[in-house]
Amino acid sequence: MTTIIRAGSAHDFLALVPALVGYRPARSVLCVAFSGNRTGGVLRHDLPADPESADALVSTMVGTMCRLAEADAVVPIVYTDREFAEDGGMPHRDLLEAIVRRAEEAGFLVRDALCVAADAWGSLLDDDLPSGGRELSLVAESALAARAEEHGPVADSPSTLARLPEPDPLVSGEIARLLGELDSPVDGADEVVECERRRAALDELERELGDALDPVVAAERLARGEIASPAGLAWLVHLLDRPMFRDAVLLQVAFGAVIGELALDSAEDAALRARDADASLEELMRREFDEADAESVDAFLTRLLLGQAAARPERRRIERALETLTVATANAPVSHRAGALCVAAWLSWALGRGSAAGALIELALESDAEHGMSQVLARFFGSGTLPEWAFQPPADAAWERRTGQ
C-alpha cells in the first residue's frame, strides 16, 4: 500500500533535498532511499533523452535501490527545465510513473513521487494537484529550508562541489619552483646540471620533511591532515603525478597503512615488469589484471580500486585528505594537477559523492587530456557504478539525516 507525503509536508521535504545531496539538483532524476523515517542515500542520474534510455534508467535505479542495505522505501524526484504550463500538466509524468511501478514491484514503499519544474512543483500522488502545479515559493519559504542550511553549505551545482580555493601567490610560487626542479629533464647537453638540480631539490625537501619523504609516511600524514607547508604540498603533488605512488597513496588514505604498503610493494614490482616489457605501468597493470589469478595480491588491490569490497573506507581520513588535496591542486601549476585531482575524484566517489567525483575528473582531464587513470575513471564514474561498500549499513549516524520530523 502506498503512503503519501501530503502536499503540506512534501514541499518541506523538497526544501531538505539540496542538503541531502550537497547541491541544488537540476535536469536530474533522484531516488531518495529510506530506512524507516531516515534517509539512507540518494541516487542521481541525468534525465533520459528518449524512451529507450528512460527504460534502462528505471531498471538501473530500481536495481541499485535493491542493493541498498536496509532500504525499504523511496521517493523519486524529477528536476526539469520544462514547465507545467507548457506541458499542460506534470512534466516527465511517464518517467515518474514507471519508477513508482517498478519500485513497488520490487517491494519498496513509495512515500511520494515529485516533480520540480521551472514554474511549479507537484506530486504524482496528489489527487488535488492543479494542472499548473503548486507554487515554488512553498518550497523556498519552507521553515525547513533554513534548518537544511545547518547541515552545511549547499552548492549551486555538482561542478561547484569541485571548485578549488583561491591560490596563495607565495605558496603557489614555492610549489612551482620545487616541482620545476624535481621534474627537470635529465637528458641532453645539460644532463649533469639538471641531475644536480633535482638532487638539490630532493635534499631541500628531505631537510624540511624528514621521514615524510617516504610515500607511506606522506600518505599517512595526508590522511591525518598534517600536510600544510609548500614543501609538503609540492611533494604530495609530485608523488600523485606518478602512477606507482598515486594508487598506493589513494588506497592507504582509504584503507590504512598496511594496504598502502602492500600497494606500494606491488607497484614497485609492476614497474620492474613494465620496464622489462617495454610498456607503461598503467598498460601493464590493466593487462595483468585481466589475466590475473582472482586471489592474487594485484587482483585484490584492483578490486579495492574498483570498489569491489564490502569494507567501508575510513570517512574521516578521506575528508581530511580531500581538504589538503584541494589546497595542493589549487596552488600547483595546471600542468601538474591531473594526478592529485584524479585521487581527489576517487576519494569523493568512495564517499558516495558521484557528482563531485565526476566534476573533479573533468578538471583532471582539463589539466591533461591524455591522463590515463583520469580517462579510465571518467568512463567508470559515467557508468553510474557505486562501490560495494555503499550498499552496506553506514558506520556513522552522521551519514543519515532524519526527515520524518
Side-chain angles (χ1 to χ4, degrees):
M1 179 178 177
T2 298
T3 298
I4 300 173
I5 299 176
R6 302 191 183 278
S9 59
H11 66 268
D12 290 329
F13 175 69
L14 286 174
L16 291 173
V17 170
L20 293 178
V21 297
Y23 61 90
R24 304 187 190 284
R27 297 180 294 281
S28 306
V29 55
L30 275 59
C31 279
V32 182
F34 284 82
S35 176
N37 284 331
R38 296 176 298 175
T39 59
V42 182
L43 305 178
R44 179 211 166 271
H45 284 266
D46 292 338
L47 281 173
D50 50 61
E52 291 75 18
S53 56
D55 289 343
L57 173 63
V58 172
S59 296
T60 297
M61 295 195 82
V62 175
T64 303
M65 283 281 304
C66 289
R67 299 178 61 199
L68 290 173
E70 301 180 0
D72 55 19
V74 62
V75 175
I77 312 171
V78 163
Y79 288 84
T80 178
D81 290 337
R82 285 162 53 178
E83 299 180 351
F84 276 76
E86 179 184 352
D87 284 32
M90 181 182 292
H92 300 286
R93 175 179 284 272
D94 290 348
L95 175 61
L96 276 173
E97 288 177 341
I99 296 174
V100 168
R101 182 172 60 254
R102 293 289 295 276
E104 289 183 333
E105 290 173 354
F108 290 101
L109 177 72
V110 178
R111 291 177 175 269
D112 209 334
L114 304 165
C115 174
V116 181
D119 61 342
W121 70 274
S123 165
L124 188 68
L125 308 181
D126 182 0
D127 293 335
D128 299 321
L129 179 68
S131 60
R134 299 189 181 277
E135 295 182 2
L136 291 172
S137 60
L138 287 171
V139 178
E141 296 170 6
S142 165
L144 293 187
R147 283 180 55 188
E149 294 178 0
E150 297 174 3
H151 291 294
V154 174
D156 291 331
S157 67
S159 60
T160 308
L161 296 173
R163 185 173 295 166
L164 300 178
E166 288 296 319
D168 181 319
L170 294 178
V171 173
S172 57
E174 183 65 5
I175 290 175
R177 178 186 71 80
L178 288 167
L179 289 175
E181 294 177 355
L182 286 171
D183 296 333
S184 297
V186 290
D187 54 4
D190 296 328
E191 179 176 342
V192 173
V193 173
E194 298 301 345
C195 283
E196 290 177 351
R197 286 184 62 196
R198 180 176 293 186
R199 182 68 259 169
L202 286 170
D203 289 344
E204 178 183 346
L205 286 169
E206 186 173 14
R207 287 193 297 273
E208 183 156 348
L209 303 178
D211 61 352
L213 215 60
D214 182 324
V216 173
V217 177
E220 205 58 24
R221 292 193 179 179
L222 172 64
R224 295 173 183 169
E226 296 174 353
I227 298 178
S229 70
L233 296 173
W235 184 240
L236 176 64
V237 171
H238 177 77
L239 288 176
L240 299 183
D241 219 15
R242 283 147 181 79
M244 184 172 74
F245 302 117
R246 178 197 63 218
D247 297 348
V249 170
L250 175 157
L251 288 171
Q252 181 171 336
V253 167
F255 299 105
V258 171
I259 295 296
E261 292 177 359
L262 189 65
L264 185 58
D265 289 343
S266 176
E268 289 173 346
D269 291 341
L272 294 175
R273 296 196 301 275
R275 185 190 62 186
D276 294 339
D278 194 24
S280 73
L281 180 57
E282 288 186 341
E283 289 172 346
L284 181 83
M285 292 175 73
R286 283 198 295 267
R287 185 170 70 228
E288 289 192 345
F289 178 68
D290 290 338
E291 304 169 353
D293 178 350
E295 301 305 317
S296 71
V297 170
D298 290 343
F300 165 70
L301 294 171
T302 302
R303 286 198 298 273
L304 288 181
L305 283 170
L306 296 177
Q308 297 172 357
R312 189 181 294 275
E314 297 184 47
R315 173 175 290 269
R316 188 64 190 119
R317 287 168 63 88
I318 293 179
E319 294 278 12
R320 287 191 292 254
L322 284 170
E323 291 174 8
T324 300
L325 286 168
T326 57
V327 174
T329 51
N331 285 282
V334 172
S335 59
H336 288 74
R337 291 180 178 180
L341 286 167
C342 180
V343 170
W346 189 91
L347 293 174
S348 296
W349 174 77
L351 292 182
R353 302 171 184 171
S355 297
L360 286 162
I361 279 296
E362 288 183 7
L363 288 180
L365 291 171
E366 287 176 13
S367 172
D368 180 0
E370 302 303 319
H371 192 257
M373 187 61 168
S374 294
Q375 292 174 335
V376 169
L377 290 183
R379 292 191 295 271
F380 189 53
F381 296 159
S383 70
T385 301
L386 296 175
E388 290 291 333
W389 51 78
F391 303 106
Q392 305 303 314
D396 51 356
W399 184 76
E400 300 172 339
R401 307 217 195 272
R402 291 189 176 272
T403 60
Q405 302 174 353

